[in-house]
Amino acid sequence: MRMESYNPPKIVCFMCNWAFCEEEMRVPYNVNIIRVICVGRMDPALVLETFINGADGVLLVGCKPPDCHFVDGNLHAERAVKMLKKLLALAGLEPERLKLLLTSPMEDKGFSHYAKEFSEEVWKLGDSPLGKEELLANLTAAKDAASAFRLRVLLGREEELTEFMNAYGEKIPEEEFDALLDDIVRAEFIRYKIHYLTRVKPHSVKELAEALGIKPSAVLRHITNMRRKGMIALDHVEGYTPLYKALEVR
Amino acid sequence: MVANYSANVKKLFPPCRVACPAHVNVQGYVSLIQKRKFKEAVEVIRRDMPFPAICGRVCFSPCEDACARVNLDQAVAIRALKRLVADIEREQGRVVAEPVPKKYSEKVAIIGAGPAGLTAAYELAKLGYPVTVFERMAKPGGMMHYCIPDFRLEKFVVANEIAYIKDIDVEIKTGVEFGKDITIESLKNDGYKAIFFAIGTQLGMKLNVPGEDLEGVINAVDFLRATAPGKKITVGERVAVIGGGNTAIDAARMAKKLGAKEVMILYRRSREEMPALPHEVELAEKDGIKFYFLAAPKQIIGENGRVKAVECLRMRLGEPDESGRRRPIPIAFSEHQYEVDMVIPALGQVVETSVLPPELINKEKRGPPIQVDPLTLETNIPGVFAGGDVATGPASIIKAVGAGKRAAVSIHRYLRGEDLRRDREEEKIEETTWVKDWRLLEKKERRYDAPIEKPHLSFEEAREYLERLKRQARFEAFRCLGCGPCAECLASMDLCEGDKAVVDESKCVGCNVCAVICPVGAIKKNEKGVAQVDEELCKGCGLCAARCPEKAISMKKLSNEQILTMVLTALER
């Protein structure tokens, strides 16, 4: 994630198998292309892991809506990117470092154009203002949140909930779903941040509230929730202060 | 494609592939065009049949009629795509095929170098049999060479495709007539273990009206054969072609091109019932050919032994007959005449029975002249097979190709002493149906493509034009819905090549996310409440693996861990 500003940023590009042909590609050397079968195949957790491993920007390339080989893989990718951007913002990384590009076969511009454009955009963003340690903690928490059941099931069900109906015959408007997603992403991120912090050594609620920059009462609410799910447990009590330690999540 | 038959394995094919008599892997090569892999696309076509360029020009494209895209806007232009890739390959210089080593010693003789015979030879040679094709005419290709006019199918295209077949070591002997130079006995004495008859239908059908023997009446097949390069024929000033098939259109256009002032087509039904391709009819109209419908010839009137006029009866259309077309009924006293000096009947072709060995000929009056088993193409003589037009009546190139492939399977099994009937590939093919009642149709918006007119261009412009054409082809190919399961297109061996989702049953919680997400409906919950993948349908897109909340689904070929390893190596650079 850290980079010297005179070096071009490291970009990883996950590209749909069908998006651009090899003939049409002349790519800057700082852009690494990884072909996947469909851009919707990208696991959100994998994208975050790419950031953790030192990418400065991630570009996802897929096909424009009517062209997806797998009907709506590109739309699934769009939803995932929406959620990932929220997670990145929470983690303190500019959401602009992640971009989804949907192209059509009749596109006049080749891939190199888009690659350069994105590379320059990321370059302008420069270094992340956060320290390395903190960024790693945040991104790991985001990754854990993205690989956990709650966000994934929400992501997988989004289309069903917003376009069709849920089990109770209700159709959720998109804005409502968005607000819901916002809340859940935030809650999940905080929980996994707590989990990350308490993994190293036991923390008290007060310490956690300080580290997270939120009210202790909110932290306590999350901890109650996490204890119920078996993510965290009481380690020991120092004086009158209980200290919590993370449990291994399955 | 042969002999690799495990019992009860059904084959799921997209509708286009099912509709094609030769079962060409349409989805496969269309996918390759999407990736601009034109040469590989031709290879994929050649796996199923040897005539990509010929079929790209003159096939009646049943695949396009079956295309599921019709439900949305219009069918994918499959034939045009095939023609383009075949042309690109030929222009860039065809890869010279390696001769296939001869695995088996049994010699196979094929009578007739038409589409059926050549396909059978091609398939058998690929299996490793020494094959000899005997052809009566001076050049191989049959009707493709002699009867389809140059403006529809260029002769060098036919020659190029046949050169490919010769490349893989098929021996073609021309100028050898069956019945005169060779017989079944002489072939057996020469060590041929199996014989395939694919002599086609060479005789034009007769009109059966008075005046047919007049000078100036020439059958369409003979007429077209006489127009082949190196031959000369004079056409009349006013020409009447009788019939409504492609041969009639070809003969009429040919006559016009050879200098006839006025060419008319007389057809006893109306335009809707014409068996000719609509596109060809339009072209004929552009050439200035007149169509007279609902007119059936009653007699040909002559003067001094030459044709002077055709007398016709007006028809009206009655109830549909067994072919589904409305039966023409003559109207009494409606005789009228067309003054012409040449009449070309184009009513269809029949088998030249005088060439056939008498023991093969069907004794019954009704039915085809040679009786064959429709599944295995066996005749009543063991080791002798017959197929193509000779067995089924005049049809099309692609049907002949299908028959050739079928015969090749039968001959291979016959020579290997296997059961000819068991688990025939033709019987196991099943059509994928999910695309027809599918949410996809709502998601894919309507889109028409603007056709590119082919203008006269300079060399530089032509290159640009070809580039545009390639892009257009890619665009057109993208319209393919991909109805079938994995197309086995070789598009990216490393990536998909039949990637399949695998469910770890111990992790699955039965949340149903994967079943909702799967674009082809390949995942269902089974009775245990656990997700189950239908491997037959799974396209390997991995959407389910990317969303499974418990990470219970992983991909066989390209798992998340592998993608991560690729990321790590990429970032180390």
Side-chain angles (χ1 to χ4, degrees):
Chain A
M1 329 151 245
R2 300 279 297 176
M3 60 183 180
E4 307 304 320
S5 49
Y6 46 82
N7 272 343
K10 278 187 184 172
I11 309 266
V12 175
C13 169
F14 294 104
M15 189 183 282
C16 162
N17 191 12
W18 309 97
F20 284 98
C21 305
E22 274 76 9
E23 286 180 33
E24 295 167 354
M25 298 217 285
R26 216 170 281 129
V27 189
Y29 73 95
N30 60 328
V31 177
N32 299 293
I33 295 176
I34 293 169
R35 285 273 185 180
V36 288
I37 188 145
C38 173
V39 68
R41 196 247 171 283
M42 280 317 294
D43 196 317
L46 261 177
V47 174
L48 290 165
E49 204 139 343
T50 312
F51 278 113
I52 292 174
N53 284 306
D56 297 308
V58 174
L59 183 60
L60 299 174
V61 184
C63 308
K64 266 211 180 118
D67 287 331
C68 181
H69 267 239
F70 306 104
V71 190
D72 48 2
N74 44 13
L75 301 180
H76 285 306
E78 240 169 26
R79 292 188 195 103
V81 166
K82 195 172 74 184
M83 188 198 82
L84 280 169
K85 287 200 174 206
K86 287 184 209 282
L87 274 173
L88 282 180
L90 284 170
L93 206 61
E94 297 86 346
E96 292 80 39
R97 290 180 191 268
L98 176 67
K99 189 173 170 182
L100 176 68
L101 173 70
L102 298 180
T103 64
S104 144
M106 280 309 262
E107 207 86 52
D108 280 327
K109 293 169 189 158
F111 176 66
S112 58
H113 169 84
Y114 295 106
K116 255 184 227 150
E117 199 181 75
F118 181 64
S119 177
E120 270 159 31
E121 278 169 29
V122 174
W123 207 336
K124 263 182 218 149
L125 290 175
D127 286 351
S128 170
L130 295 180
K132 201 169 181 175
E133 293 291 303
E134 193 175 0
L135 200 54
L136 182 67
N138 284 352
L139 282 173
T140 313
K143 190 206 92 187
D144 289 345
S147 23
F149 186 85
R150 201 164 167 218
L151 277 184
R152 289 173 83 91
V153 88
L154 198 63
L155 202 57
R157 282 284 166 81
E158 177 172 352
E159 183 196 15
E160 199 188 358
L161 294 175
T162 54
E163 282 181 28
F164 305 103
M165 269 168 216
N166 69 5
Y168 305 103
E170 303 160 331
K171 195 175 158 181
I172 304 173
E174 210 142 312
E175 308 82 62
E176 207 175 299
F177 183 86
D178 212 41
L180 184 75
L181 187 68
D182 253 343
D183 287 351
I184 295 178
V185 166
R186 174 176 294 275
E188 284 292 297
F189 176 73
I190 290 171
R191 282 173 202 171
Y192 278 94
K193 183 93 187 271
I194 294 173
H195 191 257
Y196 181 83
L197 291 173
T198 51
R199 231 184 279 171
V200 192
K201 68 176 180 67
H203 277 67
S204 69
V205 170
K206 213 170 183 181
E207 286 164 355
L208 286 170
E210 232 165 73
L212 292 163
I214 53 173
K215 278 190 222 146
S217 59
V219 173
L220 192 61
R221 227 177 20 246
H222 283 305
I223 284 181
T224 324
N225 205 311
M226 287 164 75
R227 283 182 78 172
R228 210 163 50 220
K229 282 187 185 159
M231 285 167 73
I232 205 166
L234 184 65
D235 193 61
H236 61 278
V237 182
E238 271 181 21
Y240 292 106
T241 322
L243 288 171
Y244 295 95
K245 188 158 172 59
L247 293 176
E248 207 48 54
V249 193
R250 128 184 108 93
Chain B
M1 50 136 241
V2 184
N4 183 21
Y5 47 94
S6 52
N8 296 328
V9 176
K10 62 175 181 183
K11 282 207 163 176
L12 271 176
F13 280 174
C16 45
R17 196 169 179 185
V18 175
C20 178
H23 304 305
V24 177
N25 189 351
V26 177
Q27 196 185 323
Y29 70 80
V30 170
S31 304
L32 283 165
I33 294 169
Q34 289 171 358
K35 297 215 81 190
R36 285 179 73 124
K37 298 196 170 178
F38 300 122
K39 279 200 168 164
E40 288 86 341
V42 181
E43 249 167 59
V44 164
I45 301 172
R46 285 227 174 91
R47 281 197 288 187
D48 289 315
M49 66 123 163
F51 307 121
I54 293 173
C55 280
R57 282 169 170 74
V58 294
C59 187
F60 75 110
S61 50
C63 46
E64 288 182 27
D65 299 338
C67 180
R69 181 97 202 182
V70 181
N71 303 336
L72 254 182
D73 38 35
Q74 51 189 352
V76 178
I78 299 168
R79 193 185 56 202
L81 289 175
K82 190 188 303 185
R83 177 181 174 161
L84 180 78
V85 290
D87 282 0
I88 288 172
E89 194 222 24
R90 198 187 56 251
E91 274 163 26
Q92 291 177 347
R94 179 172 56 78
V95 184
V96 177
E98 292 280 310
V100 182
K102 298 277 167 277
K103 229 166 88 188
Y104 305 109
S105 58
E106 291 95 339
K107 288 202 286 180
V108 181
I110 285 160
I111 320 291
L118 287 175
T119 307
Y122 173 76
E123 295 288 345
L124 286 166
K126 277 201 297 186
L127 285 172
Y129 285 97
V131 187
T132 314
V133 183
F134 297 98
E135 167 63 41
R136 177 170 65 168
M137 306 292 267
K139 287 215 162 133
M143 288 283 182
M144 301 190 291
H145 184 87
Y146 285 102
C147 285
I148 302 181
D150 217 31
F151 52 82
R152 269 184 78 198
L153 178 60
E154 299 93 322
K155 298 286 171 284
F156 63 85
V157 172
V158 182
N160 186 55
E161 310 263 63
I162 292 173
Y164 186 89
I165 298 175
K166 281 184 181 162
D167 277 354
I168 63 164
D169 212 6
V170 171
E171 193 185 358
I172 301 177
K173 285 187 178 165
T174 54
V176 183
E177 190 170 346
F178 186 82
K180 211 196 263 167
D181 306 319
I182 45 171
T183 58
I184 293 185
E185 284 73 43
S186 81
L187 287 173
K188 288 213 164 146
N189 290 339
D190 286 346
Y192 290 98
K193 294 279 186 281
I195 298 166
F196 178 50
F197 270 94
I199 59 169
T201 48
Q202 302 299 331
L203 289 182
M205 228 184 304
K206 294 227 165 206
L207 266 173
N208 285 332
V209 296
E212 210 175 348
D213 307 322
L214 290 167
E215 198 186 321
V217 181
I218 177 167
N219 204 286
V221 192
D222 300 326
F223 171 73
L224 286 170
R225 227 173 257 147
T227 59
K231 298 198 176 173
K232 267 203 176 143
I233 185 169
T234 44
V235 288
E237 296 233 315
R238 293 166 58 80
V239 179
V241 178
I242 297 160
N246 281 319
T247 319
I249 306 274
D250 282 351
R253 290 182 68 196
M254 198 69 196
K256 188 86 185 175
K257 281 186 206 276
L258 287 173
K261 287 224 173 69
E262 199 180 334
V263 181
M264 58 184 93
I265 288 180
L266 305 176
Y267 182 51
R268 61 197 180 126
R269 292 184 171 106
S270 71
R271 173 176 284 240
E272 282 79 63
E273 285 84 17
M274 273 178 94
L277 297 173
H279 171 67
E280 293 293 323
V281 179
E282 273 166 35
L283 284 175
E285 273 182 334
K286 245 183 218 169
D287 284 357
I289 287 154
K290 286 183 184 153
F291 286 83
Y292 295 104
F293 295 105
L294 298 166
K298 192 186 168 203
Q299 62 166 318
I300 299 168
I301 302 163
E303 199 180 63
N304 305 330
R306 271 204 66 87
V307 173
K308 187 168 163 274
V310 198
E311 188 175 85
C312 289
L313 268 177
R314 185 65 61 209
M315 303 298 227
R316 65 184 169 81
L317 292 177
E319 291 301 303
D321 60 7
E322 51 294 353
S323 75
R325 298 178 299 173
R326 293 175 70 189
R327 191 193 303 274
I329 302 164
I331 304 172
F333 308 114
S334 63
E335 285 90 348
H336 54 292
Q337 291 185 358
Y338 299 98
E339 282 212 5
V340 291
D341 49 13
M342 189 175 188
V343 177
I344 305 177
L347 303 175
Q349 290 105 262
V350 287
V351 177
E352 210 175 334
T353 37
S354 60
V355 190
L356 287 173
E359 56 268 40
L360 273 183
I361 294 170
N362 192 2
K363 300 291 180 302
E364 289 165 43
K365 276 262 164 63
R366 301 178 66 110
I370 298 187
Q371 195 99 51
V372 297
D373 185 310
L375 182 68
T376 60
L377 302 180
E378 290 168 287
T379 61
N380 45 15
I381 310 175
V384 178
F385 299 79
D389 284 3
V390 71
T392 53
S396 58
I397 292 180
I398 194 70
K399 277 194 182 145
V401 170
K405 285 178 76 172
R406 197 170 276 226
V409 178
S410 288
I411 292 173
H412 174 63
R413 291 191 183 184
Y414 170 77
L415 293 176
R416 301 265 68 77
E418 289 166 14
D419 186 356
L420 266 64
R421 310 195 134 264
R422 197 172 67 98
D423 295 327
R424 291 292 290 212
E425 199 180 45
E426 295 89 335
E427 288 190 331
K428 286 186 293 178
I429 288 169
E430 244 176 72
E431 190 175 314
T432 50
T433 50
W434 44 271
V435 75
K436 284 184 180 157
D437 46 15
W438 199 28
R439 53 202 172 105
L440 168 126
L441 295 178
E442 292 161 21
K443 282 181 183 160
K444 295 240 169 190
E445 67 188 31
R446 280 164 191 275
R447 186 170 68 182
Y448 294 93
D449 52 327
I452 297 181
E453 292 273 321
K454 193 170 183 174
H456 292 282
L457 299 164
S458 70
F459 180 71
E460 269 305 305
E461 284 168 332
R463 268 180 53 187
E464 216 169 83
Y465 167 73
L466 189 66
E467 182 52 36
R468 203 154 49 122
L469 206 63
K470 283 180 180 172
R471 199 181 288 176
Q472 180 90 3
R474 193 172 167 234
F475 187 61
E476 180 66 28
F478 253 87
R479 297 179 62 238
C480 174
L481 300 176
C483 314
C486 168
E488 300 159 29
C489 61
L490 312 179
S492 41
M493 300 279 271
D494 46 335
L495 266 189
C496 50
E497 204 210 353
D499 204 353
K500 298 275 181 242
V502 192
V503 182
D504 182 348
E505 294 199 356
S506 62
K507 281 188 189 168
C508 180
V509 292
C511 65
N512 222 23
V513 165
C514 48
V516 174
I517 272 201
C518 179
V520 296
I523 307 187
K524 298 249 154 43
K525 255 203 265 186
N526 65 8
E527 62 280 358
K528 280 186 275 176
V530 175
Q532 196 170 24
V533 184
D534 182 349
E535 289 226 351
E536 205 67 46
L537 265 177
C538 177
K539 282 182 150 194
C541 63
L543 292 182
C544 50
R547 291 290 177 279
C548 177
E550 287 294 339
K551 294 193 171 173
I553 304 179
S554 59
M555 303 307 291
K556 262 187 199 164
K557 295 257 158 68
L558 192 68
S559 62
N560 280 358
E561 289 74 43
Q562 269 161 313
I563 298 180
L564 190 61
T565 330
M566 274 151 64
V567 170
L568 291 179
T569 33
L571 285 171
E572 264 171 28
R573 281 206 292 137

